[in-house]
Amino acid sequence: MVNGSTNPTANGNPSPQTNGHVSGNAQEHTPHNPRRQPFSSVGDYLSNISNFKVRGFCAFYIHGAIVITNGFTRSLRAHYEKENNLPMAKILTHVRCHMDDARIAVETGGATDWQTIDKVDGLDIVIGTSPQLMEHSHGKSIDYIREKALEVISFVKSKGLEVRFSTEDSFRSDLVDLLNIYSAVDKIGVNRVGIADTIGVADPRQVYDLVRTLRGCVRADIETHMHNDTGCSIANSVCALQAGATHVDTSVLGIGERNGITPLGGFVARMLTFDRDYVKSKYDLTMLKPLEDLVANAVEVNIPFNNYVTGFCAFTHKAGIHAKAILANPTTYEIIDPKDFGMSRYVHFASRLTGWNAIKSRVSQLGLEMTDSQIKQCTTRIKAMADVRHLAIEDTDAIINAFYENLYSEKGVEKPLLDDLTAAEKNKLAQKVAELSREPEAQQLDHVVDQQTDVIASNGVNGHAAVNGINGETTTAT
């Protein structure tokens, strides 16, 4: 029982006086997968990092999906199940905590003049509980909300349907009010309770604290809905799972109100680093790119160049210090294997930042033979040319081929690196080549990088163990 003149809100701020009674029983949870990564945090028995469900788009899921919709035709369901050779798990409809909405949702389904609508498998019930929403949105009191929630949930359950109850703007709501309502709906058998960071105000620690507290008060599953107004939606979703949540709301490309909610791709990529085997067994990761392309085309937006996993820069390596290591062992600068998502990496070599190892790889791809010393000279000219003009891949290949031909030319006349260079560009190129040749610090850095990544390549170990080897440390198996 919690009583007092001032109670904290879910985000730790004081709120107006509220009296409430909190009761409930902790749910038993099986321990999460004990397999550890070197960068993982210490787990505990409540964490669901290796046992979670994602709510979102159907085609991505190997074992079916929970689809939130206001109407789904039987023909569409049949088409989906036929095309994907798996059953669509559930169709849930999102409604206000109001008996009129609940009745309409429950009665939805059957034949109409133009289509046949599937009956829903359950209802997602939501109502605002923050002082702001209670005053300016629906105008109802906490006592009214609790009683109405019990009424609507009892009605839905009497129809044999699944039901989730969620507060809206949870992190600006009074903590005692939240726990009071959640405990009440849990007692009558709600399947799932939801926490919503409706305005994106919460930070990971606040999320962990609230979910962990709620986990001790209800038996039901816990669902989270995190908005991304302040850039914390993925981190907040992960922390919710670590605290004992079981479900995470996502959307393709994070599309939603304002800055949207937890993006499906970014969230799954983050979870992949915790338990790769679990995620790959549950989700068809190769569907992410076509799924995002489908949605982007439908809503007429471009996928950001730096989008999680599928942006065209996601697995692009440009800096010379990165390229050398990536070519030796990709785990040095990639925590995610692009092949898991049907993607491929690209070592960008047509820039001022390129390194000689990237050029060496390209020389090999072109079927040419040069010594390391010759490749370094060629790299200097490519870097210099990149300061003179923008280079495409074709330009870089032309420079490599011209440099190679000049090495073995019997006429004694050098072929221009690019045929269309103006006199001013030729002069600038000569200056840049001379400047780069006088950069001992850069040359020394290249030498150090070569030594370090040679350790990685020779030992054939992953990136984390390689760092220890470079630093002269030893790794003991545990």
Side-chain angles (χ1 to χ4, degrees):
M1 179 177 295
V2 181
N3 293 296
S5 59
T6 303
N7 295 314
T9 61
N11 63 13
N13 295 325
S15 65
Q17 178 175 351
T18 305
N19 295 321
H21 177 72
V22 181
S23 63
N25 297 307
Q27 181 181 8
E28 293 183 3
H29 288 258
T30 55
H32 72 289
N33 191 328
R35 189 166 60 84
R36 292 284 306 282
Q37 295 285 354
F39 44 81
S40 65
S41 58
V42 176
D44 61 59
Y45 75 99
L46 287 180
S47 176
N48 281 314
I49 287 297
S50 295
N51 182 30
F52 62 91
K53 297 179 178 67
V54 178
R55 288 160 54 96
F57 200 87
C58 48
F60 185 70
Y61 304 96
I62 292 174
H63 300 297
I66 300 174
V67 181
I68 306 171
T69 179
N70 288 324
F72 201 83
T73 67
R74 287 181 183 169
S75 60
L76 283 178
R77 175 188 277 244
H79 174 75
Y80 168 81
E81 293 179 346
K82 178 181 178 180
E83 291 297 317
N84 294 280
N85 194 31
L86 55 87
M88 179 173 290
K90 296 170 184 174
I91 299 175
L92 307 180
T93 187
H94 201 75
V95 300
R96 298 175 301 170
C97 187
H98 194 285
M99 282 300 298
D100 290 344
D101 285 18
R103 290 192 185 96
I104 293 172
V106 167
E107 294 168 1
T108 297
T112 66
D113 292 337
W114 60 282
Q115 66 178 350
T116 301
I117 301 294
D118 252 7
K119 287 187 175 295
V120 297
D121 298 300
L123 271 64
D124 284 345
I125 300 167
V126 62
I127 189 168
T129 50
S130 68
Q132 293 86 346
L133 293 183
M134 286 193 292
E135 179 179 356
H136 301 293
S137 178
H138 53 71
K140 307 299 182 183
S141 68
I142 282 294
D143 290 337
Y144 174 90
I145 292 172
R146 181 177 57 254
E147 296 307 314
K148 186 58 63 176
L150 295 174
E151 178 186 6
V152 175
I153 292 170
S154 297
F155 169 74
V156 175
K157 287 185 65 65
S158 72
K159 301 299 181 179
L161 299 179
E162 178 179 326
V163 58
R164 181 218 70 179
F165 173 80
S166 177
T167 61
E168 189 181 14
D169 202 7
S170 308
F171 289 88
R172 291 194 298 176
S173 300
D174 181 274
L175 178 59
V176 173
D177 288 342
L178 287 180
L179 299 181
N180 196 337
I181 294 173
Y182 287 133
S183 296
V185 300
D186 185 57
K187 286 180 179 179
I188 64 170
V190 71
N191 298 91
R192 196 162 56 255
V193 295
I195 294 174
D197 183 20
T198 308
I199 62 171
V201 69
D203 63 44
R205 181 166 183 173
Q206 292 169 344
V207 171
Y208 186 92
D209 289 344
L210 179 56
V211 175
R212 191 61 172 254
T213 301
L214 180 58
R215 181 71 283 164
C217 296
V218 299
R219 294 178 178 273
D221 285 342
I222 299 176
E223 179 180 324
T224 60
H225 182 91
M226 303 296 174
H227 276 263
N228 202 36
D229 298 70
T230 56
C232 288
S233 64
I234 294 177
N236 285 346
S237 297
V238 171
C239 280
L241 289 176
Q242 291 172 330
T246 55
H247 293 62
V248 172
D249 291 358
T250 67
S251 71
V252 178
L253 296 174
I255 294 173
E257 287 287 337
R258 305 180 312 280
N259 300 98
I261 65 171
T262 306
L264 174 64
F267 174 75
V268 171
R270 186 68 189 90
M271 301 313 298
L272 191 69
T273 68
F274 286 113
D275 195 332
R276 183 171 179 268
D277 293 339
Y278 175 78
V279 173
K280 290 197 68 178
S281 70
K282 197 171 181 64
Y283 306 102
D284 184 357
L285 302 182
T286 62
M287 288 296 297
L288 181 63
K289 182 64 166 66
L291 175 58
E292 291 188 343
D293 288 341
L294 174 69
V295 173
N297 290 333
V299 299
E300 298 181 345
V301 299
N302 293 322
I303 295 177
F305 73 93
N306 60 344
N307 190 53
Y308 313 99
V309 179
T310 61
F312 71 81
C313 285
F315 298 103
T316 296
H317 304 273
K318 189 172 183 178
I321 191 172
H322 286 208
K324 162 73 179 192
I326 281 291
L327 293 169
N329 188 315
T331 63
T332 50
Y333 284 102
E334 287 178 355
I335 195 59
I336 297 170
D337 186 347
K339 289 188 291 186
D340 285 343
F341 291 87
M343 306 292 289
S344 58
R345 75 179 54 85
Y346 170 60
V347 178
H348 187 74
F349 54 87
S351 79
R352 175 66 167 78
L353 299 178
T354 193
W356 76 275
N357 285 282
I359 301 303
K360 182 178 182 178
S361 176
R362 189 59 176 171
V363 167
S364 176
Q365 291 172 355
L366 294 174
L368 306 177
E369 292 186 5
M370 297 188 206
T371 66
D372 287 352
S373 177
Q374 291 168 343
I375 292 173
K376 290 177 180 179
Q377 294 176 38
C378 181
T379 302
T380 298
R381 284 154 178 78
I382 292 172
K383 293 164 72 77
M385 188 70 78
D387 275 345
V388 174
R389 61 162 66 171
H390 174 76
L391 294 180
I393 294 177
E394 294 78 8
D395 297 325
T396 307
D397 288 348
I399 294 172
I400 293 173
N401 281 300
F403 182 85
Y404 179 78
E405 291 180 21
N406 289 334
L407 289 176
Y408 301 100
S409 175
E410 298 179 355
K411 299 179 181 180
V413 179
E414 283 199 1
K415 178 181 179 179
L417 296 179
L418 293 176
D419 292 332
D420 59 345
L421 286 177
T422 65
E425 287 178 325
K426 290 179 181 178
N427 290 334
K428 187 175 181 180
L429 174 63
Q431 293 175 1
K432 292 296 180 181
V433 169
E435 290 175 6
L436 289 172
S437 300
R438 293 194 300 267
E439 292 183 358
E441 292 183 1
Q443 295 173 10
Q444 177 61 25
L445 180 59
D446 284 343
H447 178 66
V448 171
V449 172
D450 291 344
Q451 288 182 321
Q452 292 180 342
T453 49
D454 284 343
V455 172
I456 299 170
S458 62
N459 291 340
V461 294
N462 66 40
H464 301 290
V467 171
N468 294 335
I470 289 172
N471 292 330
E473 302 171 5
T474 58
T475 302
T476 303
T478 57

